[in-house]
Amino acid sequence: MGQLTSKRGGLDPGVVPNVHFSTNDKGPPRYSSHGTPSTIIISDVELSASEGGSKAELQRFSVYSTLDMVPKQGHYANTLPQKQLRSRPSLEALRRAFKEAEVGVEVPTTDSGDISLPDSGTEELKAPQEKAPVRFGWILGVLIRTMLNIWGVILFLRLTLITSQAGIVLTWVIILMSVLITTITAISISAVATNGKVLSGGPYFLISRSLGPEIGAPIGVIFSFANSQACALNAVGFAEVVRNLMRASGIVIVDDLNDVRIIGVITVFILLLISLAGMEWETKAQIFFFIALMSSFANYLVGTVIPPSKEKQAQGIFGYRSEIFIANLAPNWRGPDSNFFQMFGLFFPAVSGILYGVNICGDLKDPNIAIPKGTLLAIFWTTISYLVISITAASCVVQDASGNISDILTGNITGVCMGQGCQFGWNFTECIVSQSCQDGLANTQQVMGQLSGWYYLVIVGAFAATLSSALGYLVSAPKIFQCLCRDKIYPYIGVFAKGYGKNDEPLRAYMLSFIIAVAFTLIGNLDTIAILNSSLFMCVYALINFSCFHASITNSPGWRPQFIYYNKWVSLFGAVVSFVLMFLFSWWAGLITLIVFILLCLYIYYKKPKLNWGSTIQAGSYNIALSASLALSGVEDHVKNFRPQCLVLTGPPTQRPALVDFVNSFTKNASLMICGDIIMNQDRQTRLQDDTDRLVKWMNKRKVRSFYSPFTADSLRVGARHLLQASGLGKLKPNTLVLGFKSNWRASSPESIEDYITTINDTFDSNYCLCILRMMDGLDTSDQFDFEVNQGFEPDESVEKEDQQSSEKQPADDMTDEGDSGEIETVFQDDQGKKTIDIYWIADDGGLTLLVPYLLTRRKRWSRCKVRVFIVGEELNMEESCKEMLALLKRFRLDFNEVTVMTDCERRPQAKNLDRFVDSVAPFRLYDEPQEGVSVSQNAPWKISDREFEAFKLKSEAKVRLNEIIRRNSKRAALVVVSLPVPHSDCTSALYMAWLDTLTCGLHCPVVLIRGNQENVLTFYCQ
């Protein structure tokens, strides 16, 4: 290992190994070509810079810059956005470091001005100030605990009964199928658990961080509940063993069922006390249980080879006999409800304890190694034990026996002899016929004890198995639920998140698990609890396997598990099989589990908790969007599929809510919407870093389905032109530009008006459609949030003052939820009732003027509005024009049934209205003739010359007259849609702006000027 020394000598313990170069005062670094230790010489000046702290805190820098640091673990210790360590210098700091160093300015490397890691770093980066919590290795933490959790009540009380009914062959099939599912699940959970650092929370933590809270949180609830229920299952099994011992001694508390309930509740309470004592006491108890179990197994195996006594033969035990083995190969179903899946569901809890190591992953030294290694070895050894016990018991014990020594045959058989005992000199016919046999493989739960060398040692093993499993489940459930509560996904459960002591024990969650366990213990029926428990665990296993499959299939770069022995298709197979078996075990239990899971998922889906864990759901969404976008690129455009995909120049969306709501009204869940924000270069420094996130949050809260695209430019026109060209992706590209009307154009600078009109011209040059929305003063949008505040449109002083006043009323960074939802209300958020939408289809633009109002009427708020269409025509053929338009609308399949032909458009407007128009353009008139040799366009291009004013006089009067008609017919309309006149190339910007103002003035409802790109967007053909 290389040594870090100063000229004065001394070693630095903070050196990272494998440093293979050395430096000195003269010349470049000398690189070592061999593996011998080398040194890095640091000058006294450099060393003195760190005298304020320990030498271990010295930072190492790259050869590029003294500010640019080499890679190290501390930079990646915690990459969660809300807790990111700011020890790495920013790009801006690196870029200006050399320049500021020349002038003697100190460049900060972190927000705190200290290169060293902050005190709020991760656990492994902080020096421990108190006694470290207990941590376990893979043997004691996972292997032994998982084996104890797997060996439970089913092993001693139900395995032999299952073997008697299913036979040796089907019992092995049941065991191997169960082990196949648990092995696949263990492999899947090992892959997920080794894909990053694992904290406490067990399968909930892994699934929620993999699939997201929508799937992980319901599984956390179900799995915590299943563990509490499994505790009750094993407590009831323990109570049955104790009850049988009491019955043999003639002791009865109340009756068989209530005795099980009483003993079970007392057992759960004692286990709770052990759990509350802490992990050290729980570990000591588990070690004792493991030793007892191993002794019990050895005792059992020894007992199978000991020649049976007369008493054991009366109980149906005859040692290893081929006749018994062959007879017990086939199934022997007893009872109407006895079948393969019933036995499968009854046995499956015997293998459901494989997740114990994952449940306490927060208490392991190295979960990435301990979980795969310990879990898979535990499955292997417990599987061997199940197979051995089932085949040895079925090879030594007959199905039925009376337990009566007098049933031995002393001479020749004179009567009928039934059962396997006849071959070995015993006649159990009487009890077989009367179905009163008390012993034998099919009639008692005590076969393992009777077959063993010493009966009571097996009883100790049964106690150890049931109590260890119950204790393991009782410890697991609170830790999982505590992690779920700390994520604050579901309401009213935060009280259970609090931990106590150095191990952060969830004492409150322990009490909740105790209550659940007691409630199921009071059922008192082991088989009923086992079936429901199997369905719950199958649901968990299905989701674990699916999470591994989903993480693999999304090809996320973040999916890099250290455990590589998995296959995504095997995981998918395990998920499907687990889901199917959940219903085959018990359809009602599976249905209840599924309904609860769906309800919990729906709650999270609608609440949308503010959590970002980098889940595979996000990665899958990206893959789906990318694939769909690429596939869409190969699809040819067709008029039937035309959608108005809008680029909306909103500026910050919070400043133009009416414009945002209007476009969202006809694009939401139907087409593309992009809110473009052109930021002037001089305003770039004043924007906050989190402005984008804040504005997107505002749109999401307002339920606006839109992208937000900020763009920095020198002017409105440049920014708009770039957005027109660059916005969108493939076929998901805007085809319609939406602007807010420039209502204060008279007070604006000529350059601002020119930019506005030039943007309109650029829109048509790009073959875009165009919509301009005008909202009248005094209606739905307050002054401070009016959409005329974009500096790209309004660079003049008057508007800057208005912006300053509005910012004082509501600061940009003070976007509280109450302010968002309560202060910014627009007409497009209200129900319009039975008002009218009036369409003035003056010019045929391809049908966009009709399509946008039609899309509006598909929304609930506009659905009851009546649409009226106004067209220009002559009085002589008015009826014919009306019928022709109605026929066209019908062929378009638009439910527009009222058409009005305007025959008075060519009349001269009223004098007062014409005078108002003339007054509006007066400040922009150029009355004097231009000087010789200097054109008007060169002198003042925005001025309107007398010649130009006279040339467009008729067009101007037509606009004034059309406005009179609109005001007369649409006084009570909810919305007015007017065909937008196309700007002429020889028409000045001020005159065109006056036309737009004249067309839309005097109305007390929103007015939309629409112009398509002269291509059809409506068709009445089916191909």
Side-chain angles (χ1 to χ4, degrees):
M1 182 175 69
Q3 296 176 350
L4 181 61
T5 65
S6 71
K7 291 182 179 179
R8 295 176 294 189
L11 297 178
D12 191 331
V15 175
V16 176
N18 299 326
V19 179
H20 300 294
F21 65 91
S22 62
T23 62
N24 54 25
D25 292 342
K26 301 177 182 180
R30 299 190 301 274
Y31 295 88
S32 173
S33 59
H34 50 82
T36 58
S38 57
T39 60
I40 304 175
I41 301 176
I42 299 178
S43 66
D44 295 337
V45 177
E46 293 172 327
L47 185 61
S48 63
S50 62
E51 288 179 352
S54 66
K55 294 182 180 180
E57 294 177 352
L58 271 176
Q59 302 298 312
R60 298 179 299 114
F61 307 108
S62 73
V63 297
Y64 297 133
S65 168
T66 57
L67 186 61
D68 205 359
M69 300 201 302
V70 298
K72 63 178 182 179
Q73 181 181 354
H75 296 164
Y76 303 91
N78 195 340
T79 55
L80 295 177
Q82 64 270 24
K83 300 180 181 178
Q84 188 170 8
L85 299 180
R86 299 296 299 273
S87 60
R88 188 187 294 112
S90 66
L91 284 174
E92 183 180 0
L94 290 174
R95 292 171 63 189
R96 59 189 174 92
F98 182 75
K99 180 179 179 180
E100 296 190 357
E102 287 182 337
V103 297
V105 178
E106 182 180 355
V107 181
T109 58
T110 62
D111 291 348
S112 60
D114 189 357
I115 292 180
S116 61
L117 294 173
D119 294 337
S120 60
T122 54
E123 181 179 338
E124 70 270 15
L125 297 177
K126 293 190 294 185
Q129 299 297 328
E130 56 183 19
K131 185 178 178 181
V134 180
R135 293 287 183 262
F136 305 104
W138 72 272
I139 295 178
L140 187 58
V142 180
L143 177 63
I144 293 179
R145 292 169 182 269
T146 304
M147 292 174 68
L148 288 173
N149 222 32
I150 294 175
W151 287 324
V153 60
I154 303 299
L155 172 65
F156 287 93
L157 298 186
R158 291 295 184 269
L159 181 58
T160 55
L161 290 176
I162 294 172
T163 305
S164 70
Q165 296 202 39
I168 296 175
V169 174
L170 289 184
T171 299
W172 275 42
V173 170
I174 290 173
I175 294 173
L176 293 177
M177 284 184 63
S178 301
V179 170
L180 175 64
I181 295 172
T182 56
T183 303
I184 293 175
T185 305
I187 291 173
S188 299
I189 202 70
S190 297
V192 177
T194 57
N195 189 49
K197 182 180 178 181
V198 179
L199 303 177
S200 61
Y204 159 70
F205 181 87
L206 298 176
I207 296 179
S208 62
R209 271 57 175 180
S210 178
L211 289 179
E214 296 86 358
I215 305 297
I219 285 300
V221 175
I222 292 176
F223 192 60
S224 300
F225 188 80
N227 275 271
S228 299
Q229 187 197 47
C231 175
L233 174 70
N234 286 277
V236 169
F238 172 80
E240 285 193 4
V241 176
V242 175
R243 181 201 61 188
N244 294 338
L245 290 174
M246 294 172 58
R247 183 194 300 169
S249 302
I251 301 174
V252 177
I253 302 176
V254 181
D255 53 43
D256 285 352
L257 179 60
N258 287 306
D259 286 357
V260 170
R261 291 171 175 171
I262 294 171
I263 297 171
V265 170
I266 295 174
T267 302
V268 174
F269 179 74
I270 295 175
L271 293 177
L272 174 66
L273 296 180
I274 297 176
S275 301
L276 295 177
M279 291 296 293
E280 295 97 334
W281 286 95
E282 188 264 348
T283 302
K284 294 176 182 178
Q286 295 286 28
I287 293 175
F288 170 78
F289 291 147
F290 184 76
I291 295 173
L293 266 173
M294 291 297 101
S295 303
S296 177
F297 286 149
N299 175 56
Y300 168 78
L301 293 176
V302 170
T304 59
V305 297
I306 296 177
S309 61
K310 294 295 181 181
E311 289 78 6
K312 286 193 174 184
Q313 291 182 10
Q315 295 171 345
I317 300 172
F318 297 98
Y320 289 104
R321 298 296 182 97
S322 59
E323 295 88 349
I324 299 177
F325 172 77
I326 294 172
N328 288 331
L329 283 175
N332 180 26
W333 308 116
R334 299 191 178 191
D337 296 330
S338 183
N339 55 65
F340 176 80
F341 289 107
Q342 183 75 13
M343 295 297 105
F344 199 163
L346 183 60
F347 172 79
F348 192 79
V351 296
S352 62
I354 64 167
L355 298 179
Y356 187 83
V358 184
N359 294 343
I360 63 166
C361 55
D363 298 314
L364 300 177
K365 293 179 181 178
D366 189 354
N368 290 339
I369 295 177
I371 290 175
K373 192 174 182 179
T375 303
L376 293 175
L377 281 176
I379 292 175
F380 174 78
W381 289 116
T382 53
T383 302
I384 296 298
S385 66
Y386 285 135
L387 295 176
V388 169
I389 291 174
S390 63
I391 195 173
T392 52
S395 300
C396 298
V397 186
V398 297
Q399 289 278 347
D400 298 291
S402 63
N404 190 351
I405 299 180
S406 61
D407 286 339
I408 189 173
L409 295 175
T410 56
N412 294 328
I413 302 176
T414 56
V416 178
C417 184
M418 299 176 60
Q420 301 172 7
C422 300
Q423 304 177 41
F424 310 110
W426 291 81
N427 186 3
F428 302 127
T429 305
E430 182 178 352
C431 75
I432 293 175
V433 173
S434 63
Q435 297 183 356
S436 60
C437 294
Q438 299 295 321
D439 291 303
L441 198 64
N443 300 300
T444 180
Q445 305 172 4
Q446 305 173 29
V447 169
M448 287 188 63
Q450 296 172 349
L451 192 56
S452 64
W454 185 39
Y455 176 82
Y456 290 102
L457 188 55
V458 171
I459 296 299
V460 172
F463 286 170
T466 53
L467 292 178
S468 64
S469 295
L471 180 60
Y473 287 120
L474 188 61
V475 170
S476 301
K479 290 183 176 293
I480 299 169
F481 195 65
Q482 180 189 39
C483 184
L484 172 65
C485 295
R486 285 180 172 173
D487 288 334
K488 300 178 181 179
I489 298 176
Y490 294 111
Y492 311 120
I493 61 175
V495 65
F496 300 104
K498 184 174 177 58
Y500 298 86
K502 63 182 179 181
N503 281 342
D504 196 30
E505 296 292 345
L507 301 185
R508 298 176 181 178
Y510 273 127
M511 297 306 300
L512 179 62
S513 298
F514 169 74
I515 293 173
I516 296 173
V518 167
F520 279 93
T521 301
L522 293 177
I523 295 177
N525 190 317
L526 184 67
D527 296 344
T528 302
I529 302 174
I531 292 296
L532 182 57
N533 190 256
S534 296
S535 295
L536 293 174
F537 274 100
M538 277 299 181
C539 180
V540 175
Y541 291 168
L543 266 297
I544 290 175
N545 287 300
F546 181 76
S547 66
C548 181
F549 164 75
H550 196 270
S552 303
I553 203 70
T554 54
N555 294 322
S556 173
W559 174 248
R560 302 184 302 275
Q562 295 180 10
F563 184 83
I564 61 175
Y565 305 102
Y566 70 96
N567 182 276
K568 58 186 176 183
W569 302 113
V570 174
S571 297
L572 179 61
F573 171 77
V576 173
V577 171
S578 299
F579 183 78
V580 172
L581 288 177
M582 181 176 69
F583 289 94
L584 292 179
F585 288 165
S586 174
W587 67 267
W588 60 267
L591 185 61
I592 292 175
T593 304
L594 184 62
I595 291 174
V596 171
F597 176 77
I598 292 175
L599 291 176
L600 292 173
C601 285
L602 290 177
Y603 175 84
I604 299 178
Y605 178 79
Y606 285 107
K607 283 295 182 180
K608 291 182 172 48
K610 300 174 182 178
L611 299 171
N612 183 12
W613 294 327
S615 67
T616 58
I617 297 294
Q618 296 172 337
S621 300
Y622 174 85
N623 283 349
I624 293 173
L626 181 61
S627 300
S629 299
L630 292 174
L632 192 62
S633 299
V635 178
E636 295 184 5
D637 293 331
H638 195 281
V639 63
K640 289 198 302 182
N641 295 324
F642 176 86
R643 299 166 186 259
Q645 302 187 136
C646 299
L647 170 62
V648 193
L649 296 188
T650 60
T654 54
Q655 294 182 350
R656 296 189 171 198
L659 190 59
V660 173
D661 292 339
F662 163 66
V663 180
N664 185 62
S665 297
F666 64 87
T667 61
K668 186 176 181 180
N669 298 325
S671 61
L672 176 69
M673 176 182 175
I674 300 176
C675 290
D677 183 7
I678 302 173
I679 305 171
M680 298 297 103
N681 283 328
Q682 62 269 22
D683 298 332
R684 183 179 180 182
Q685 299 300 328
T686 61
R687 283 295 186 101
L688 300 177
Q689 293 182 355
D690 60 346
D691 268 359
T692 297
D693 294 337
R694 178 178 58 84
L695 294 172
V696 171
K697 176 184 176 182
W698 179 86
M699 290 192 296
N700 291 337
K701 183 174 181 59
R702 207 176 181 85
K703 299 181 179 179
V704 175
R705 302 296 294 271
S706 173
F707 297 99
Y708 171 69
S709 179
F711 191 88
T712 304
D714 295 330
S715 65
L716 166 71
R717 181 184 180 185
V718 174
R721 181 185 296 173
H722 288 161
L723 283 175
L724 287 171
Q725 296 177 10
S727 296
L729 179 68
K731 291 300 176 84
L732 293 176
K733 184 177 179 64
N735 54 29
T736 304
L737 180 70
V738 183
L739 297 171
F741 181 74
K742 192 175 181 64
S743 60
N744 61 343
W745 64 278
R746 295 185 187 88
S748 300
S749 64
E751 293 82 3
S752 176
I753 300 176
E754 185 69 19
D755 269 358
Y756 187 86
I757 302 303
T758 306
T759 300
I760 294 177
N761 286 314
D762 290 341
T763 302
F764 293 131
D765 291 342
S766 301
N767 202 33
Y768 270 56
C769 306
L770 179 65
C771 294
I772 300 177
L773 173 67
R774 180 169 189 177
M775 299 288 293
M776 297 300 107
D777 294 336
L779 284 181
D780 304 280
T781 308
S782 60
D783 293 339
Q784 63 266 31
F785 292 107
D786 204 359
F787 46 76
E788 287 83 23
V789 297
N790 190 309
Q791 293 298 315
F793 288 92
E794 317 294 347
D796 50 278
E797 182 179 358
S798 60
V799 179
E800 291 177 0
K801 292 181 179 179
E802 292 178 7
D803 290 344
Q804 184 177 1
Q805 294 174 359
S806 65
S807 63
E808 292 175 357
K809 294 179 181 178
Q810 179 167 341
D813 58 349
D814 187 21
M815 296 301 300
T816 61
D817 294 344
E818 182 179 355
D820 291 345
S821 59
E823 296 182 9
I824 311 176
E825 296 290 338
T826 69
V827 68
F828 301 102
Q829 294 179 312
D830 300 332
D831 191 341
Q832 302 302 316
K834 296 184 178 180
K835 297 179 182 179
T836 62
I837 298 177
D838 293 346
I839 303 173
Y840 291 85
W841 199 12
I842 309 302
D844 190 352
D845 59 350
L848 185 66
T849 310
L850 295 178
L851 181 61
V852 170
Y854 166 73
L855 294 175
L856 277 174
T857 58
R858 295 171 61 177
R859 302 296 177 185
K860 183 178 180 181
R861 293 167 179 167
W862 297 82
S863 59
R864 293 188 295 165
C865 289
K866 181 180 181 181
V867 180
R868 302 187 300 178
V869 180
F870 295 84
I871 59 173
V872 178
E874 297 179 356
E875 190 172 0
L876 294 176
N877 54 3
M878 182 175 62
E879 293 184 3
E880 183 179 350
S881 299
C882 182
K883 291 180 181 179
E884 183 179 348
M885 179 53 63
L886 285 172
L888 179 62
L889 295 174
K890 184 176 181 180
R891 298 192 69 179
F892 282 151
R893 302 175 305 282
L894 300 173
D895 191 20
F896 302 166
N897 300 317
E898 184 172 335
V899 175
T900 302
V901 180
M902 299 180 294
T903 59
D904 54 352
C905 291
E906 297 182 357
R907 293 182 183 177
R908 185 173 176 82
Q910 297 180 14
K912 62 178 182 178
N913 296 327
L914 192 57
D915 291 342
R916 186 186 301 116
F917 170 78
V918 173
D919 292 340
S920 66
V921 299
F924 301 93
R925 293 284 298 274
L926 184 65
Y927 297 100
D928 298 330
E929 290 295 327
Q931 299 178 2
E932 184 178 354
V934 180
S935 65
V936 175
S937 59
Q938 292 176 339
N939 190 17
W942 57 86
K943 291 290 187 178
I944 308 171
S945 66
D946 290 338
R947 183 182 304 173
E948 184 181 7
F949 187 79
E950 288 298 325
F952 289 105
K953 183 177 180 180
L954 293 179
K955 294 184 179 297
S956 300
E957 291 180 355
K959 306 299 187 299
V960 177
R961 177 56 185 162
L962 183 57
N963 175 257
E964 292 177 352
I965 297 174
I966 294 174
R967 286 190 293 167
R968 182 185 65 203
N969 295 324
S970 304
K971 292 180 179 179
R972 296 177 177 83
L975 180 69
V976 173
V977 180
V978 185
S979 295
L980 174 74
V982 177
H984 297 274
S985 59
D986 54 349
C987 179
T988 61
S989 57
L991 181 58
Y992 183 73
M993 198 70 231
W995 287 353
L996 300 185
D997 186 27
T998 300
L999 268 177
T1000 57
C1001 71
L1003 293 172
H1004 297 285
C1005 66
V1007 183
V1008 184
L1009 297 169
I1010 297 181
R1011 188 75 188 200
N1013 59 1
Q1014 302 303 109
E1015 295 180 5
N1016 289 346
V1017 300
L1018 294 174
T1019 181
F1020 41 76
Y1021 295 107
C1022 61
Q1023 63 181 11

